[in-house]
Amino acid sequence: MKIDGKEELLEHLERMLESIKYGSITLVVQDGKIVQIEKNEKVRLQSNKNR
């Protein structure tokens, strides 16, 4: 995904931030420009205390 403008970048980031509870968002930069956004989401399971 190539992101051309600041407004488009901010819209993508805002949508990703609204949809993630645990995890990370990484910006990939080439030649001084953001060319990719990666979202890694973690799913936390309740621990099973009766093991």
Side-chain angles (χ1 to χ4, degrees):
M1 154 192 341
K2 184 167 183 173
I3 304 214
D4 294 321
K6 278 187 189 179
E7 203 168 297
E8 186 180 1
L9 169 64
L10 292 174
E11 287 174 12
H12 280 286
L13 285 173
E14 191 173 73
R15 257 185 270 131
M16 286 182 166
L17 286 168
E18 289 171 351
S19 69
I20 192 169
K21 188 165 184 175
Y22 298 102
S24 61
I25 295 174
T26 304
L27 303 178
V28 178
V29 178
Q30 288 181 349
D31 297 325
K33 295 185 180 185
I34 297 169
V35 294
Q36 184 172 313
I37 303 172
E38 300 172 356
K39 179 173 84 168
N40 296 305
E41 190 163 2
K42 309 293 182 194
V43 177
R44 303 219 173 171
L45 305 174
Q46 291 182 339
S47 62
N48 186 356
K49 296 181 181 179
N50 296 329
R51 288 187 193 191

